[in-house]
Amino acid sequence: MKKLSKLSFLIILAIAIVLSGCGTSETTSGGDENKPLKLVTNAAYAPMEYMEGDKIVGFDIDFIEAVAEEAGYELDINHVGWDSMLLEAKEKVADLAVAAITINDDRIETYDFSVPYYLSTNMILVKEGSDIKSADDLIGKTVAVQNGTTGQESAEALLGVNSDSIKKFEDNNLAIQELLNDGADAVIADNTVVETYVKNNPEQKLEVVSDEQNFAPEFYGILFPKGSELKEDFDKAVNTILDNGKYAEIYKEWFGTEPDIEGLKAAQ
């Protein structure tokens, strides 16, 4: 009887050890915390994010990879288009999004944002020799915009919501093509996008019109689903690379100038 009890005890102990080992393995290697975060973007917005062959590149991509590394996360970056990007973040199919996304009151109702990481403003793209010299000159003209952007909001503020004079496109490349094809008199989009396009396509004879009176400065942020637990870690990481020089290094590589770090910190 003693021997049987001892044997039973050893069997029970062995089973407990096996089960314990299985439980530990499942927690450390099979848990979701070890999967890369799903990041979605709209890679049709050079130089912020765009396709180079089958690779997604751009300032935003280098920036978010530096932030994620600082925060201790890996990323799975996916080009899904603007509307799908916003939907996937809203429905929590994606963990975060980056694509020159302006922080504004309407979006804050649906999403969470990181602290600001980029200062931008809308500008007007026209053909050389155009009589459009300010935003006021757009009244009575046809304006092309990317749907769902602050460029669209600026056009609507000037021409009216649902105005027939506003043509909306899936991305800015299509809006610019409409201008080139004489289907629109102008495009409204972020300064970085239109300035880079003019610089890279001199043969198309386009020019940029600025209007600080009608177009206020905007700030881009990393977008998260509402209530995301990632925001705190990413905010801390953004501030770290702003302070340690990594952000300035990436910014100068893409734009050739020094960023306004103090302005970004003040906007927080």
Side-chain angles (χ1 to χ4, degrees):
M1 198 66 182
K2 262 187 171 184
K3 287 183 181 179
L4 183 59
S5 297
K6 188 174 181 181
L7 180 60
S8 299
F9 173 78
L10 290 173
I11 291 171
I12 293 169
L13 181 61
I15 292 171
I17 291 170
V18 170
L19 290 176
S20 175
C22 290
T24 302
S25 174
E26 191 174 88
T27 302
T28 57
S29 61
D32 288 343
E33 69 263 18
N34 293 317
K35 293 174 62 176
L37 300 177
K38 182 179 182 182
L39 181 143
V40 287
T41 189
N42 174 39
Y45 216 69
M48 305 306 287
E49 44 274 312
Y50 60 99
M51 300 302 300
E52 196 170 78
D54 59 356
K55 185 178 181 182
I56 304 172
V57 299
F59 169 79
D60 274 346
I61 304 305
D62 287 352
F63 161 76
I64 197 63
E65 286 181 337
V67 173
E69 181 179 0
E70 178 64 37
Y73 294 96
E74 293 185 4
L75 299 175
D76 173 22
I77 303 175
N78 300 266
H79 166 45
V80 297
W82 180 264
D83 291 338
S84 294
M85 173 191 73
L86 295 176
L87 180 61
E88 287 199 22
K90 180 181 179 181
E91 300 296 328
K92 301 186 178 180
V93 175
D95 297 295
L96 68 166
V98 65
I101 307 171
T102 300
I103 304 168
N104 62 31
D105 292 340
D106 287 342
R107 290 174 183 157
I108 287 173
E109 291 181 5
T110 306
Y111 308 96
D112 284 341
F113 281 92
S114 70
V115 293
Y117 73 85
Y118 189 88
L119 172 62
S120 174
T121 186
N122 278 311
M123 288 188 173
I124 306 166
L125 182 67
V126 296
K127 291 185 175 181
E128 288 183 0
S130 170
D131 60 356
I132 296 171
K133 305 301 179 184
S134 72
D136 292 334
D137 294 331
L138 293 173
I139 296 173
K141 306 288 188 181
T142 300
V143 179
V145 298
Q146 179 177 334
N147 187 45
T149 64
T150 56
Q152 177 187 335
E153 291 175 7
S154 295
E156 289 175 343
L158 290 162
L159 305 175
V161 177
N162 298 323
S163 169
D164 293 336
S165 297
I166 302 174
K167 292 186 174 181
K168 305 168 189 175
F169 295 88
E170 184 179 351
D171 60 55
N172 274 315
N173 292 332
L174 295 174
I176 293 171
Q177 195 60 48
E178 188 71 4
L179 169 64
L180 293 171
N181 292 338
D182 296 322
D185 299 296
V187 173
I188 299 178
D190 292 347
N191 62 301
T192 304
V193 172
V194 293
E195 288 173 338
T196 300
Y197 190 90
V198 170
K199 178 182 177 182
N200 291 341
N201 299 277
E203 75 286 354
Q204 294 182 355
K205 300 187 182 306
L206 300 174
E207 60 185 13
V208 177
V209 176
S210 63
D211 188 338
E212 295 180 3
Q213 190 170 8
N214 282 289
F215 299 146
E218 303 172 354
F219 292 93
Y220 298 162
I222 306 165
L223 181 145
F224 303 96
K226 201 69 175 174
S228 172
E229 296 179 356
L230 295 171
K231 174 178 161 53
E232 184 177 352
D233 288 347
F234 276 76
D235 280 349
K236 182 178 178 181
V238 170
N239 277 316
T240 297
I241 70 166
L242 287 174
D243 293 336
N244 67 14
K246 184 63 178 177
Y247 178 90
E249 177 187 325
I250 296 169
Y251 192 97
K252 285 186 286 187
E253 181 179 341
W254 281 99
F255 306 117
T257 59
E258 289 282 350
D260 181 5
I261 301 293
E262 291 184 7
L264 290 173
K265 296 295 285 285
Q268 297 183 19

Short mmCIF file of all heavy atoms in Angstrom, two decimals, residues 207-258:
data_model
loop_
_atom_site.label_atom_id
_atom_site.label_comp_id
_atom_site.label_asym_id
_atom_site.label_seq_id
_atom_site.Cartn_x
_atom_site.Cartn_y
_atom_site.Cartn_z
N GLU A 207 2.85 74.57 -61.06
CA GLU A 207 3.39 75.43 -60.00
C GLU A 207 2.49 75.39 -58.78
O GLU A 207 1.31 75.02 -58.86
CB GLU A 207 3.56 76.87 -60.50
CG GLU A 207 2.29 77.54 -60.96
CD GLU A 207 2.56 78.92 -61.56
OE1 GLU A 207 3.74 79.23 -61.83
OE2 GLU A 207 1.58 79.67 -61.77
N VAL A 208 3.07 75.77 -57.64
CA VAL A 208 2.37 75.70 -56.36
C VAL A 208 2.02 77.11 -55.89
O VAL A 208 2.84 78.03 -55.96
CB VAL A 208 3.24 75.00 -55.30
CG1 VAL A 208 2.55 75.00 -53.95
CG2 VAL A 208 3.54 73.57 -55.73
N VAL A 209 0.79 77.26 -55.41
CA VAL A 209 0.32 78.54 -54.86
C VAL A 209 0.06 78.35 -53.37
O VAL A 209 -0.69 77.44 -52.98
CB VAL A 209 -0.98 79.00 -55.56
CG1 VAL A 209 -1.51 80.28 -54.92
CG2 VAL A 209 -0.74 79.18 -57.06
N SER A 210 0.67 79.17 -52.54
CA SER A 210 0.42 79.10 -51.10
C SER A 210 -0.55 80.20 -50.68
O SER A 210 -0.63 81.25 -51.33
CB SER A 210 1.73 79.25 -50.32
OG SER A 210 2.32 80.52 -50.55
N ASP A 211 -1.28 79.96 -49.61
CA ASP A 211 -2.24 80.94 -49.10
C ASP A 211 -2.40 80.71 -47.60
O ASP A 211 -3.30 79.99 -47.15
CB ASP A 211 -3.58 80.80 -49.81
CG ASP A 211 -4.55 81.92 -49.45
OD1 ASP A 211 -4.38 82.54 -48.39
OD2 ASP A 211 -5.49 82.17 -50.23
N GLU A 212 -1.51 81.31 -46.83
CA GLU A 212 -1.52 81.11 -45.38
C GLU A 212 -2.75 81.71 -44.73
O GLU A 212 -3.13 81.30 -43.63
CB GLU A 212 -0.25 81.70 -44.76
CG GLU A 212 1.03 81.01 -45.21
CD GLU A 212 2.28 81.60 -44.57
OE1 GLU A 212 2.13 82.53 -43.74
OE2 GLU A 212 3.38 81.16 -44.92
N GLN A 213 -3.38 82.67 -45.39
CA GLN A 213 -4.56 83.31 -44.82
C GLN A 213 -5.75 82.36 -44.81
O GLN A 213 -6.57 82.36 -43.89
CB GLN A 213 -4.89 84.58 -45.61
CG GLN A 213 -5.96 85.43 -44.94
CD GLN A 213 -6.09 86.79 -45.60
OE1 GLN A 213 -5.50 87.04 -46.65
NE2 GLN A 213 -6.88 87.67 -45.00
N ASN A 214 -5.88 81.54 -45.86
CA ASN A 214 -7.02 80.63 -45.97
C ASN A 214 -6.71 79.21 -45.51
O ASN A 214 -7.63 78.46 -45.18
CB ASN A 214 -7.49 80.60 -47.43
CG ASN A 214 -8.31 81.81 -47.80
OD1 ASN A 214 -9.44 81.97 -47.35
ND2 ASN A 214 -7.74 82.70 -48.62
N PHE A 215 -5.44 78.82 -45.52
CA PHE A 215 -5.06 77.46 -45.15
C PHE A 215 -4.22 77.49 -43.88
O PHE A 215 -3.07 77.92 -43.90
CB PHE A 215 -4.28 76.78 -46.27
CG PHE A 215 -5.04 76.64 -47.57
CD1 PHE A 215 -4.39 76.74 -48.78
CD2 PHE A 215 -6.41 76.42 -47.57
CE1 PHE A 215 -5.08 76.60 -49.97
CE2 PHE A 215 -7.12 76.29 -48.76
CZ PHE A 215 -6.45 76.38 -49.96
N ALA A 216 -4.80 77.02 -42.79
CA ALA A 216 -4.10 77.03 -41.50
C ALA A 216 -3.12 75.87 -41.41
O ALA A 216 -3.29 74.84 -42.08
CB ALA A 216 -5.12 76.94 -40.37
N PRO A 217 -2.08 76.01 -40.57
CA PRO A 217 -1.15 74.89 -40.36
C PRO A 217 -1.87 73.67 -39.80
O PRO A 217 -2.87 73.80 -39.07
CB PRO A 217 -0.15 75.45 -39.34
CG PRO A 217 -0.27 76.93 -39.46
CD PRO A 217 -1.70 77.20 -39.82
N GLU A 218 -1.39 72.47 -40.16
CA GLU A 218 -1.96 71.21 -39.70
C GLU A 218 -0.84 70.33 -39.14
O GLU A 218 0.32 70.50 -39.51
CB GLU A 218 -2.64 70.48 -40.86
CG GLU A 218 -3.73 71.28 -41.55
CD GLU A 218 -4.24 70.59 -42.80
OE1 GLU A 218 -3.65 69.55 -43.18
OE2 GLU A 218 -5.20 71.08 -43.40
N PHE A 219 -1.22 69.39 -38.31
CA PHE A 219 -0.25 68.46 -37.75
C PHE A 219 -0.67 67.03 -38.06
O PHE A 219 -1.84 66.67 -37.93
CB PHE A 219 -0.11 68.64 -36.24
CG PHE A 219 0.53 69.94 -35.84
CD1 PHE A 219 -0.24 71.06 -35.56
CD2 PHE A 219 1.91 70.06 -35.78
CE1 PHE A 219 0.35 72.27 -35.21
CE2 PHE A 219 2.52 71.25 -35.44
CZ PHE A 219 1.73 72.37 -35.15
N TYR A 220 0.30 66.22 -38.47
CA TYR A 220 0.06 64.79 -38.69
C TYR A 220 0.28 64.04 -37.39
O TYR A 220 1.12 64.41 -36.56
CB TYR A 220 1.03 64.21 -39.72
CG TYR A 220 0.96 64.79 -41.10
CD1 TYR A 220 2.02 64.61 -41.98
CD2 TYR A 220 -0.15 65.49 -41.55
CE1 TYR A 220 1.99 65.13 -43.27
CE2 TYR A 220 -0.20 66.01 -42.84
CZ TYR A 220 0.88 65.84 -43.69
OH TYR A 220 0.85 66.34 -44.96
N GLY A 221 -0.47 62.94 -37.23
CA GLY A 221 -0.27 62.05 -36.09
C GLY A 221 -0.38 60.60 -36.51
O GLY A 221 -0.94 60.28 -37.57
N ILE A 222 0.15 59.71 -35.70
CA ILE A 222 -0.07 58.27 -35.89
C ILE A 222 -1.50 57.99 -35.44
O ILE A 222 -1.92 58.41 -34.36
CB ILE A 222 0.91 57.44 -35.06
CG1 ILE A 222 2.36 57.84 -35.34
CG2 ILE A 222 0.71 55.94 -35.31
CD1 ILE A 222 3.35 57.32 -34.32
N LEU A 223 -2.26 57.26 -36.25
CA LEU A 223 -3.67 57.01 -35.95
C LEU A 223 -3.83 55.61 -35.35
O LEU A 223 -3.24 54.64 -35.84
CB LEU A 223 -4.48 57.15 -37.24
CG LEU A 223 -5.99 56.95 -37.16
CD1 LEU A 223 -6.70 57.90 -38.13
CD2 LEU A 223 -6.37 55.51 -37.50
N PHE A 224 -4.65 55.53 -34.29
CA PHE A 224 -4.94 54.27 -33.61
C PHE A 224 -6.46 54.07 -33.50
O PHE A 224 -7.21 55.05 -33.50
CB PHE A 224 -4.38 54.27 -32.18
CG PHE A 224 -2.92 54.52 -32.07
CD1 PHE A 224 -2.44 55.80 -31.81
CD2 PHE A 224 -2.00 53.49 -32.21
CE1 PHE A 224 -1.09 56.04 -31.71
CE2 PHE A 224 -0.65 53.72 -32.10
CZ PHE A 224 -0.18 55.01 -31.85
N PRO A 225 -6.91 52.83 -33.37
CA PRO A 225 -8.32 52.62 -33.02
C PRO A 225 -8.64 53.30 -31.70
O PRO A 225 -7.77 53.46 -30.83
CB PRO A 225 -8.43 51.09 -32.89
CG PRO A 225 -7.28 50.55 -33.70
CD PRO A 225 -6.18 51.56 -33.56
N LYS A 226 -9.87 53.71 -31.53
CA LYS A 226 -10.27 54.39 -30.30
C LYS A 226 -10.02 53.49 -29.09
O LYS A 226 -10.38 52.31 -29.09
CB LYS A 226 -11.76 54.75 -30.37
CG LYS A 226 -12.17 55.86 -29.43
CD LYS A 226 -11.59 57.20 -29.84
CE LYS A 226 -12.09 58.33 -28.97
NZ LYS A 226 -11.42 59.60 -29.29
N GLY A 227 -9.37 54.04 -28.07
CA GLY A 227 -9.09 53.30 -26.85
C GLY A 227 -7.87 52.39 -26.93
O GLY A 227 -7.65 51.56 -26.05
N SER A 228 -7.03 52.57 -27.95
CA SER A 228 -5.85 51.71 -28.12
C SER A 228 -4.88 51.86 -26.96
O SER A 228 -4.57 52.97 -26.52
CB SER A 228 -5.13 52.06 -29.43
OG SER A 228 -3.90 51.36 -29.52
N GLU A 229 -4.38 50.72 -26.49
CA GLU A 229 -3.37 50.73 -25.43
C GLU A 229 -1.98 51.05 -25.95
O GLU A 229 -1.04 51.22 -25.18
CB GLU A 229 -3.37 49.37 -24.72
CG GLU A 229 -4.68 49.05 -24.00
CD GLU A 229 -4.65 47.69 -23.33
OE1 GLU A 229 -3.65 46.97 -23.48
OE2 GLU A 229 -5.64 47.34 -22.64
N LEU A 230 -1.84 51.13 -27.28
CA LEU A 230 -0.53 51.41 -27.87
C LEU A 230 -0.15 52.89 -27.80
O LEU A 230 1.02 53.24 -27.87
CB LEU A 230 -0.51 50.97 -29.34
CG LEU A 230 -0.67 49.49 -29.62
CD1 LEU A 230 -0.85 49.25 -31.10
CD2 LEU A 230 0.55 48.72 -29.10
N LYS A 231 -1.14 53.75 -27.69
CA LYS A 231 -0.89 55.19 -27.77
C LYS A 231 0.18 55.67 -26.79
O LYS A 231 1.10 56.42 -27.17
CB LYS A 231 -2.19 55.98 -27.55
CG LYS A 231 -1.98 57.49 -27.48
CD LYS A 231 -3.28 58.23 -27.31
CE LYS A 231 -3.06 59.64 -26.79
NZ LYS A 231 -2.10 60.44 -27.57
N GLU A 232 0.11 55.24 -25.56
CA GLU A 232 1.06 55.70 -24.55
C GLU A 232 2.49 55.33 -24.91
O GLU A 232 3.41 56.15 -24.81
CB GLU A 232 0.69 55.12 -23.18
CG GLU A 232 1.59 55.63 -22.05
CD GLU A 232 1.16 55.10 -20.69
OE1 GLU A 232 0.08 54.46 -20.60
OE2 GLU A 232 1.91 55.30 -19.71
N ASP A 233 2.70 54.08 -25.34
CA ASP A 233 4.05 53.63 -25.71
C ASP A 233 4.57 54.41 -26.92
O ASP A 233 5.75 54.79 -26.97
CB ASP A 233 4.04 52.14 -26.05
CG ASP A 233 3.88 51.26 -24.83
OD1 ASP A 233 4.01 51.77 -23.70
OD2 ASP A 233 3.60 50.05 -25.00
N PHE A 234 3.71 54.65 -27.89
CA PHE A 234 4.15 55.35 -29.11
C PHE A 234 4.36 56.83 -28.85
O PHE A 234 5.27 57.44 -29.43
CB PHE A 234 3.16 55.09 -30.25
CG PHE A 234 3.44 53.81 -30.98
CD1 PHE A 234 3.09 52.58 -30.42
CD2 PHE A 234 4.06 53.81 -32.22
CE1 PHE A 234 3.36 51.38 -31.08
CE2 PHE A 234 4.33 52.62 -32.89
CZ PHE A 234 3.99 51.40 -32.32
N ASP A 235 3.55 57.44 -28.00
CA ASP A 235 3.78 58.84 -27.64
C ASP A 235 5.16 59.01 -27.01
O ASP A 235 5.92 59.94 -27.35
CB ASP A 235 2.72 59.32 -26.65
CG ASP A 235 1.41 59.69 -27.32
OD1 ASP A 235 1.38 59.77 -28.56
OD2 ASP A 235 0.42 59.91 -26.60
N LYS A 236 5.47 58.13 -26.10
CA LYS A 236 6.77 58.18 -25.43
C LYS A 236 7.90 58.00 -26.44
O LYS A 236 8.91 58.71 -26.39
CB LYS A 236 6.84 57.10 -24.35
CG LYS A 236 8.14 57.11 -23.55
CD LYS A 236 8.11 56.04 -22.47
CE LYS A 236 9.44 56.02 -21.71
NZ LYS A 236 9.44 54.96 -20.65
N ALA A 237 7.74 57.07 -27.36
CA ALA A 237 8.77 56.80 -28.36
C ALA A 237 8.94 57.97 -29.33
O ALA A 237 10.06 58.30 -29.73
CB ALA A 237 8.45 55.52 -29.12
N VAL A 238 7.83 58.60 -29.73
CA VAL A 238 7.92 59.77 -30.61
C VAL A 238 8.73 60.87 -29.93
O VAL A 238 9.64 61.46 -30.54
CB VAL A 238 6.52 60.30 -30.98
CG1 VAL A 238 6.64 61.66 -31.69
CG2 VAL A 238 5.78 59.32 -31.87
N ASN A 239 8.43 61.14 -28.68
CA ASN A 239 9.17 62.19 -27.97
C ASN A 239 10.64 61.83 -27.79
O ASN A 239 11.51 62.71 -27.83
CB ASN A 239 8.51 62.47 -26.62
CG ASN A 239 7.34 63.42 -26.74
OD1 ASN A 239 7.41 64.42 -27.43
ND2 ASN A 239 6.24 63.09 -26.09
N THR A 240 10.92 60.55 -27.62
CA THR A 240 12.31 60.12 -27.48
C THR A 240 13.10 60.42 -28.75
O THR A 240 14.21 60.97 -28.70
CB THR A 240 12.40 58.63 -27.14
OG1 THR A 240 11.78 58.39 -25.88
CG2 THR A 240 13.86 58.17 -27.08
N ILE A 241 12.53 60.08 -29.94
CA ILE A 241 13.30 60.31 -31.16
C ILE A 241 13.30 61.79 -31.56
O ILE A 241 14.19 62.23 -32.29
CB ILE A 241 12.82 59.42 -32.34
CG1 ILE A 241 11.45 59.83 -32.86
CG2 ILE A 241 12.84 57.94 -31.94
CD1 ILE A 241 11.13 59.21 -34.21
N LEU A 242 12.33 62.55 -31.07
CA LEU A 242 12.40 64.00 -31.25
C LEU A 242 13.57 64.59 -30.46
O LEU A 242 14.26 65.50 -30.92
CB LEU A 242 11.09 64.67 -30.81
CG LEU A 242 9.86 64.51 -31.69
CD1 LEU A 242 8.64 65.12 -31.02
CD2 LEU A 242 10.07 65.16 -33.06
N ASP A 243 13.79 64.03 -29.27
CA ASP A 243 14.83 64.56 -28.37
C ASP A 243 16.23 64.05 -28.68
O ASP A 243 17.21 64.77 -28.46
CB ASP A 243 14.48 64.21 -26.91
CG ASP A 243 13.23 64.94 -26.42
OD1 ASP A 243 12.91 66.00 -26.98
OD2 ASP A 243 12.59 64.44 -25.48
N ASN A 244 16.34 62.81 -29.18
CA ASN A 244 17.68 62.22 -29.33
C ASN A 244 18.32 62.44 -30.71
O ASN A 244 19.40 61.94 -30.98
CB ASN A 244 17.67 60.73 -28.97
CG ASN A 244 16.87 59.88 -29.97
OD1 ASN A 244 16.52 60.32 -31.06
ND2 ASN A 244 16.58 58.65 -29.56
N GLY A 245 17.61 63.15 -31.59
CA GLY A 245 18.19 63.46 -32.90
C GLY A 245 17.81 62.52 -34.02
O GLY A 245 18.08 62.80 -35.19
N LYS A 246 17.16 61.40 -33.71
CA LYS A 246 16.79 60.43 -34.74
C LYS A 246 15.76 61.01 -35.71
O LYS A 246 15.85 60.81 -36.94
CB LYS A 246 16.25 59.15 -34.09
CG LYS A 246 15.92 58.03 -35.09
CD LYS A 246 17.15 57.56 -35.82
CE LYS A 246 16.85 56.43 -36.77
NZ LYS A 246 18.03 55.99 -37.54
N TYR A 247 14.78 61.73 -35.18
CA TYR A 247 13.76 62.33 -36.03
C TYR A 247 14.40 63.33 -37.00
O TYR A 247 14.11 63.32 -38.20
CB TYR A 247 12.70 63.04 -35.18
CG TYR A 247 11.64 63.74 -35.99
CD1 TYR A 247 10.48 63.09 -36.36
CD2 TYR A 247 11.79 65.07 -36.40
CE1 TYR A 247 9.49 63.72 -37.11
CE2 TYR A 247 10.82 65.71 -37.15
CZ TYR A 247 9.67 65.03 -37.51
OH TYR A 247 8.71 65.67 -38.26
N ALA A 248 15.28 64.19 -36.49
CA ALA A 248 15.94 65.18 -37.33
C ALA A 248 16.76 64.51 -38.43
O ALA A 248 16.81 64.98 -39.57
CB ALA A 248 16.82 66.09 -36.49
N GLU A 249 17.39 63.40 -38.10
CA GLU A 249 18.18 62.65 -39.08
C GLU A 249 17.30 62.15 -40.23
O GLU A 249 17.66 62.29 -41.42
CB GLU A 249 18.85 61.46 -38.37
CG GLU A 249 19.64 60.54 -39.27
CD GLU A 249 20.13 59.31 -38.53
OE1 GLU A 249 20.47 59.42 -37.33
OE2 GLU A 249 20.16 58.22 -39.15
N ILE A 250 16.14 61.59 -39.89
CA ILE A 250 15.22 61.09 -40.92
C ILE A 250 14.65 62.25 -41.73
O ILE A 250 14.56 62.19 -42.96
CB ILE A 250 14.09 60.28 -40.26
CG1 ILE A 250 14.64 59.04 -39.57
CG2 ILE A 250 13.03 59.88 -41.30
CD1 ILE A 250 13.64 58.32 -38.69
N TYR A 251 14.28 63.32 -41.05
CA TYR A 251 13.68 64.48 -41.71
C TYR A 251 14.65 65.10 -42.72
O TYR A 251 14.27 65.39 -43.87
CB TYR A 251 13.29 65.51 -40.64
CG TYR A 251 12.42 66.64 -41.15
CD1 TYR A 251 11.04 66.59 -40.99
CD2 TYR A 251 12.96 67.76 -41.76
CE1 TYR A 251 10.22 67.62 -41.44
CE2 TYR A 251 12.16 68.80 -42.21
CZ TYR A 251 10.79 68.72 -42.04
OH TYR A 251 10.00 69.75 -42.51
N LYS A 252 15.89 65.30 -42.31
CA LYS A 252 16.89 65.90 -43.21
C LYS A 252 17.20 65.00 -44.40
O LYS A 252 17.46 65.48 -45.50
CB LYS A 252 18.16 66.21 -42.42
CG LYS A 252 18.03 67.44 -41.52
CD LYS A 252 19.34 67.83 -40.87
CE LYS A 252 19.71 66.88 -39.77
NZ LYS A 252 20.91 67.34 -39.01
N GLU A 253 17.15 63.69 -44.17
CA GLU A 253 17.40 62.75 -45.27
C GLU A 253 16.34 62.89 -46.36
O GLU A 253 16.64 62.80 -47.55
CB GLU A 253 17.42 61.32 -44.73
CG GLU A 253 17.69 60.27 -45.79
CD GLU A 253 17.72 58.87 -45.22
OE1 GLU A 253 17.89 58.72 -43.98
OE2 GLU A 253 17.55 57.91 -46.00
N TRP A 254 15.09 63.14 -45.95
CA TRP A 254 14.00 63.22 -46.93
C TRP A 254 13.76 64.62 -47.47
O TRP A 254 13.38 64.79 -48.64
CB TRP A 254 12.70 62.68 -46.31
CG TRP A 254 12.66 61.19 -46.31
CD1 TRP A 254 12.94 60.36 -45.26
CD2 TRP A 254 12.36 60.35 -47.42
NE1 TRP A 254 12.84 59.05 -45.65
CE2 TRP A 254 12.47 59.01 -46.98
CE3 TRP A 254 11.99 60.58 -48.74
CZ2 TRP A 254 12.24 57.92 -47.82
CZ3 TRP A 254 11.76 59.50 -49.58
CH2 TRP A 254 11.88 58.19 -49.12
N PHE A 255 13.97 65.64 -46.64
CA PHE A 255 13.59 67.00 -47.05
C PHE A 255 14.76 67.98 -47.16
O PHE A 255 14.59 69.08 -47.66
CB PHE A 255 12.53 67.55 -46.08
CG PHE A 255 11.34 66.64 -45.93
CD1 PHE A 255 11.03 66.07 -44.69
CD2 PHE A 255 10.52 66.35 -47.00
CE1 PHE A 255 9.94 65.24 -44.54
CE2 PHE A 255 9.42 65.51 -46.87
CZ PHE A 255 9.14 64.95 -45.64
N GLY A 256 15.91 67.59 -46.66
CA GLY A 256 17.09 68.42 -46.80
C GLY A 256 17.13 69.65 -45.92
O GLY A 256 17.97 70.53 -46.12
N THR A 257 16.23 69.76 -44.97
CA THR A 257 16.20 70.89 -44.05
C THR A 257 16.03 70.41 -42.62
O THR A 257 15.68 69.25 -42.39
CB THR A 257 15.04 71.85 -44.39
OG1 THR A 257 13.79 71.13 -44.31
CG2 THR A 257 15.20 72.43 -45.79
N GLU A 258 16.22 71.32 -41.68
CA GLU A 258 16.05 70.99 -40.26
C GLU A 258 14.57 71.06 -39.89
O GLU A 258 13.87 71.99 -40.28
CB GLU A 258 16.84 71.97 -39.39
CG GLU A 258 18.34 71.81 -39.45
CD GLU A 258 18.85 70.64 -38.61
OE1 GLU A 258 18.05 70.09 -37.83
OE2 GLU A 258 20.04 70.31 -38.74
#
